[in-house]
Amino acid sequence: MAPHKHPFIFSLLRSHRLLLSVGLLLIFVASQQWLLAQNWPRGVQRINARSNAVTTVRGDLRRGAPVADLAWATSSSVACFPTTVFESYRGAHVFYGTAIPPRSVMKIKVQPEAGVDVNLYAYILGTSDFSTLPPNITGVTTCESSENYGQPNPGGSQEVELNAIANGYNVVIVVAGPAGVTSGRYSLSVDLKTAAAEPTAPTGMRSQIIPTVSGQTATVNSRLDGGYILPLDWANTSQLACFPSHHNPAFRGKHVFFRAALPANSQMKIVVRPSRPDLDLSIYGIRLSANDATTMPPNIHAGVCDASYASSGGDPGVEEALDFIAIQNPYTILIGVAGPAGVTSGDFTISVELKPR
């Protein structure tokens, strides 16, 4: 029988199918949330911290219990808090589990009710680690604590901050009472700020050679226009430590590269000068092996790096300078001149002065 002759029946069938589909979807979502909640063991409350938002939960020390052995906190592989403040953590501990994505800063704050004394610590684990809890902690990526220097602080807030650069992590947050304190209400907030995804590294990048002669200064006129916008995770690693991630905005514009030879027993001064009073520039230098003519960011994973930039607010029209020294070995200095976020054009001069030591 043709479907168009019985529209009511087919409309009913479609409604049942829609309800079935919605029901299955709700069951799937609920099951996924249940599975996520099960990642953390019993006794750890899960916080779904959202990027670029503040997530707040309310708690009470009654939901926790004291941790008798605090020796784990003083080991060099944990370094959470010293023995001198153990009394601040002898009360009940309440555990929370969350996650910090790459390129993020997580600010954690606990605010107790009036008259309630609480303390705070938080530590970072690998994304597959849901079981490293006190006192069975032998090592963590990092741990931060706040306890008013071991002194009572009823009604006072405590805060810690965690950072993730290239990788995401699991985070355990612990609200603890001082010795004898096993009850008391508080609010716990997680302020998570996540930067936008890094741009893809361009291919075929080039650098300009600046010839250096001892006792002389070489000056080159250049411009940002032909440069490259780069991912910046490479510069924030502890192995290179070129500049910290919270100063990445000073380097979000285009980058132009130069190479200059630094002979043994020499010192080099590099100065970049914007050609306009409204042009803001930053500079960094990376010491490479003497014959290195190809290495470019972001494919730099370790080495000696130095940078010069405005710590906040920019400094348009102001020159930036770097110094490098070679003792027994010669090097190549890879120089990067960069604009801040959104700055992709502008002329400048770069000078390299070479002197014997």
Side-chain angles (χ1 to χ4, degrees):
M1 189 172 291
H4 68 274
K5 293 184 179 179
H6 297 277
F8 173 75
I9 294 175
F10 282 92
S11 176
L12 187 62
L13 286 173
R14 283 196 297 269
S15 298
H16 280 296
R17 287 171 185 158
L18 178 60
L19 289 173
L20 180 61
S21 298
V22 171
L24 290 173
L25 177 61
L26 290 174
I27 292 170
F28 173 77
V29 171
S31 67
Q32 294 302 302
Q33 292 176 339
W34 182 86
L35 286 172
L36 286 171
Q38 301 313 301
N39 286 336
W40 294 102
R42 186 176 180 180
V44 179
Q45 303 171 56
R46 184 173 181 269
I47 297 177
N48 183 22
R50 294 171 294 142
S51 290
N52 302 311
V54 178
T55 305
T56 302
V57 298
R58 298 191 180 278
D60 194 313
L61 290 174
R62 293 179 187 275
R63 299 192 64 173
V67 176
D69 181 7
L70 297 176
W72 55 269
T74 64
S75 92
S76 59
S77 58
V78 179
C80 206
F81 45 85
T83 55
T84 53
V85 298
F86 272 10
E87 292 302 300
S88 297
Y89 298 95
R90 294 289 191 193
H93 290 225
V94 183
F95 296 92
Y96 299 86
T98 188
I100 182 171
R103 300 177 299 280
S104 297
V105 176
M106 178 179 283
K107 294 182 179 179
I108 305 164
K109 179 179 179 180
V110 59
Q111 177 63 60
E113 291 186 347
V116 177
D117 196 357
V118 298
N119 300 296
L120 179 68
Y121 63 94
Y123 55 90
I124 284 177
L125 302 168
T127 54
S128 61
D129 188 347
F130 296 88
S131 60
T132 298
L133 299 172
N136 301 314
I137 300 180
T138 57
V140 298
T141 301
T142 187
C143 184
E144 300 292 340
S145 64
S146 176
E147 69 293 300
N148 196 41
Y149 306 101
Q151 300 301 312
N153 188 32
S157 63
Q158 305 290 349
E159 299 181 45
V160 297
E161 182 175 307
L162 301 173
N163 294 276
I165 300 174
N167 302 307
Y169 299 95
N170 284 342
V171 175
V172 176
I173 303 168
V174 187
V175 180
V181 178
T182 57
S183 66
R185 295 178 180 178
Y186 56 84
S187 64
L188 179 67
S189 63
V190 178
D191 184 357
L192 179 60
K193 289 183 171 59
T194 302
E198 290 289 294
T200 303
T203 58
M205 293 192 298
R206 298 178 180 273
S207 59
Q208 180 179 344
I209 301 296
I210 299 178
T212 54
V213 178
S214 185
Q216 297 184 17
T217 300
T219 300
V220 173
N221 297 317
S222 189
R223 59 194 319 183
L224 292 177
D225 302 58
Y228 315 94
I229 295 178
L230 304 178
L232 298 176
D233 288 346
W234 59 273
N236 309 145
T237 64
S238 58
Q239 293 83 4
L240 193 61
C242 213
F243 43 86
S245 59
H246 59 277
H247 287 307
N248 280 357
F251 299 87
R252 289 293 185 193
K254 282 192 173 181
H255 293 227
V256 180
F257 293 100
F258 306 87
R259 273 180 163 79
L262 176 61
N265 301 308
S266 299
Q267 57 186 30
M268 176 184 288
K269 183 172 185 178
I270 307 162
V271 179
V272 61
R273 298 180 178 89
S275 61
R276 305 192 320 258
D278 63 337
L279 179 60
D280 189 13
L281 294 175
S282 300
I283 185 174
Y284 56 94
I286 305 170
R287 196 180 72 183
L288 304 173
S289 61
N291 298 317
D292 191 325
T294 59
T295 300
M296 298 285 279
N299 298 314
I300 298 178
H301 307 293
V304 175
C305 182
D306 195 12
S308 179
Y309 52 92
S311 58
S312 63
D315 52 1
V318 177
E319 68 179 37
E320 303 288 351
L322 297 174
D323 292 283
F324 284 91
I325 294 175
I327 302 176
Q328 296 181 340
N329 300 311
Y331 298 99
T332 291
I333 306 300
L334 176 65
I335 306 163
V337 179
V343 177
T344 59
S345 65
D347 297 346
F348 61 89
T349 61
I350 180 169
S351 63
V352 178
E353 179 184 10
L354 189 65
K355 292 182 179 180
R357 289 189 73 251

